[in-house]
Structure formats: C-alpha cells, structure tokens
Amino acid sequence: MVVPENDRSRQQFLKASRLSDPTIYEAIVKNLPVGFSLVDRNGLIVDFNPAAEKLTGYLKKDILGKPHLEILHGSSDPKSCPLFTYAFEQRTASIATEAALKKKNGEAIMLSFVVFPVFADSGNFIGGVEIFRDITEIKRLERERNNFLSMFVHDMKNPVVIVGGYLSRLLAEKAGSLNEKQRDYLTIIKVETQKLQRLISDFLDFSKFEKKEYIPVFGSYNLEESLSNNWK
C-alpha cells in the first residue's frame, strides 16, 4: 500500500517528537489554543489545526499538500515567512518573531510566531512547525498609544521651550533689575525647566527608537559629571 505524502510526513514528525500514539498527537494539535502548521521538507502543508483554520480562513482539507509560503504568506519570497527564514534556511532550534500573514479573504493580519525545524532520528531534516497567534489588535493598540504619547509630548514641548525662553530673559534682567532672592528663585525654576526639557527630548528619542527611526550617535559621556549635576 502506498502511504500518502501527507501521512508519511506526519508519521515522521510523530517519530521525531516521540509521540508513538497518533491519537495523542491529534488530541494535542486539535486542542491547541494557537494556530499550528506542520510543513514537510518541500514546503508543503501536511497538517493544520482548527485554531489555524479560524485564524486564516483556510480549511485543512483545502490546503493540505499545497505550498505553505504561497498560501499563507501570499509570496514566493522565503524571507516573508519566519518558518522558511529560520527553520528551513538557518535550521535555528527555535525562534519567536512577528510577521504578517494573508488570510483567505485577502486581509493581512499580524501574527506572533514560534517556529522550529524537525529532524528525524538520523539527523535528516524532515520539515518544520509554525505555531502562531493573532496580535493584530495588540499592534493597533500599541500604535494608538504611541501616537497619543507622541502628540502629548509634542504639545508639552512647545510651552516648556517658551517658558525657558522667558526665564532666560528675566534672568538677563530684560524686564528689570532682580534682587538676590528673585534671581535664586528664577534660577531654580530654569534648572527644573531644563530637566523637563531633557525628559521630553529623551521620550521623543525613545519613541523614535521604538519606531526604528532612531539613529544612535556614539560618543564619550561623563557619567560622574551627569550624576553630580542631577544630585545638586
């Protein structure tokens, strides 16, 4: 009897994962709360669980034996798929990453992936596993949070700069002479305003770093002097 390629790949995976009883494997995969895709060494889908069906819109019976890369990522470029990038090309033991996935209806969603290669007892590469969950809503909320905070900080920056400018003019006695106590008070206000300006600038730099828009500039830094100034 000829064993179908899908079944043969599943049998190899069962042996490699030490699951001798197929019913145990089926129960585990079926009840996983995350998407599960088993791909053979040729890049063809050989197993797909109910959670994966719900996430992608594809039914298992419709995509078994079809190219994982083209069906789920809508591309022929292996770099668009974490499974091919890490498990197939680099044979990385296990990697967690994020990538876009194309649903059956054409909608693109963001997923968090854990991918790893599968090897037979002989050491031969037999395929890979891709486990994934939908993080589209999480990413949307992160973008909204970042946009809100960026707008908030930008709105704070202008008034602080203006206050700093007027403080400098007052200390330069552009509005009249100052006695010693007035100068001390204004100096304290200016120092604290400058601290607030630095905090705002640091936050804006951090926002750029999160968006991968920040280009670090390397140079020397006097930590002792910085700590001394902040403790005064």
Side-chain angles (χ1 to χ4, degrees):
M1 181 180 69
V2 177
V3 180
E5 182 62 30
N6 292 339
D7 292 339
R8 187 182 301 114
S9 296
R10 268 200 298 272
Q11 289 170 7
Q12 289 178 325
F13 177 74
L14 285 171
K15 186 176 180 182
S17 60
R18 305 296 190 272
L19 292 173
S20 57
D21 187 349
T23 58
I24 297 177
Y25 163 80
E26 294 293 344
I28 292 173
V29 171
K30 181 179 179 181
N31 291 287
L32 280 174
V34 292
F36 173 93
S37 178
L38 175 62
V39 180
D40 68 14
R41 62 180 177 273
N42 298 315
L44 304 179
I45 299 170
V46 296
D47 208 354
F48 210 63
N49 75 342
E53 290 181 323
K54 185 177 180 180
L55 279 172
T56 65
Y58 289 101
L59 296 178
K60 175 179 176 178
K61 64 183 180 65
D62 295 331
I63 62 173
L64 287 183
K66 294 185 178 179
H68 170 89
L69 189 59
E70 294 178 15
I71 293 293
L72 296 184
H73 296 278
S75 171
S76 58
D77 182 8
K79 293 181 180 179
S80 67
C81 172
L83 182 63
F84 279 79
T85 301
Y86 298 104
F88 276 64
E89 293 184 2
Q90 300 177 17
R91 305 289 168 88
T92 304
S94 178
I95 189 74
T97 186
E98 298 173 0
L101 182 141
K102 186 178 179 182
K103 296 178 67 173
K104 185 178 181 180
N105 62 8
E107 178 188 358
I109 57 175
M110 281 299 298
L111 298 180
S112 172
F113 289 91
V114 175
V115 299
F116 53 89
V118 179
F119 299 93
D121 288 339
S122 62
N124 293 329
F125 175 71
I126 60 174
V129 170
E130 192 172 66
I131 297 173
F132 48 92
R133 64 185 180 91
D134 190 356
I135 57 170
T136 305
E137 182 64 13
I138 294 174
K139 288 297 180 182
R140 184 187 68 80
L141 292 174
E142 284 182 356
R143 286 194 300 271
E144 289 185 359
R145 180 205 64 182
N146 291 337
N147 290 338
F148 171 77
L149 290 176
S150 294
M151 287 189 295
F152 176 73
V153 173
H154 273 293
D155 289 343
M156 282 185 62
K157 183 177 181 179
N158 290 336
V160 171
V161 170
I162 292 171
V163 169
Y166 276 106
L167 282 170
S168 295
R169 291 181 64 83
L170 288 172
L171 286 168
E173 298 187 338
K174 298 293 184 181
S177 300
L178 299 172
N179 60 41
E180 185 177 350
K181 182 172 288 188
Q182 289 172 332
R183 183 173 295 279
D184 288 344
Y185 286 169
L186 287 173
T187 300
I188 292 172
I189 294 171
K190 184 177 181 180
V191 169
E192 296 305 315
T193 302
Q194 289 173 336
K195 288 181 181 179
L196 183 56
Q197 284 180 308
R198 287 196 295 271
L199 285 173
I200 292 172
S201 296
D202 288 345
F203 183 87
L204 290 173
D205 288 342
F206 181 74
S207 297
K208 291 178 182 178
F209 180 79
E210 275 196 327
K211 296 176 182 177
K212 299 182 180 179
E213 298 174 355
Y214 183 76
I215 301 175
V217 178
F218 298 99
S220 59
Y221 183 77
N222 192 325
L223 180 60
E224 183 179 355
E225 180 182 344
S226 177
L227 292 173
S228 177
N229 290 337
N230 282 285
W231 282 347
K232 286 181 180 179

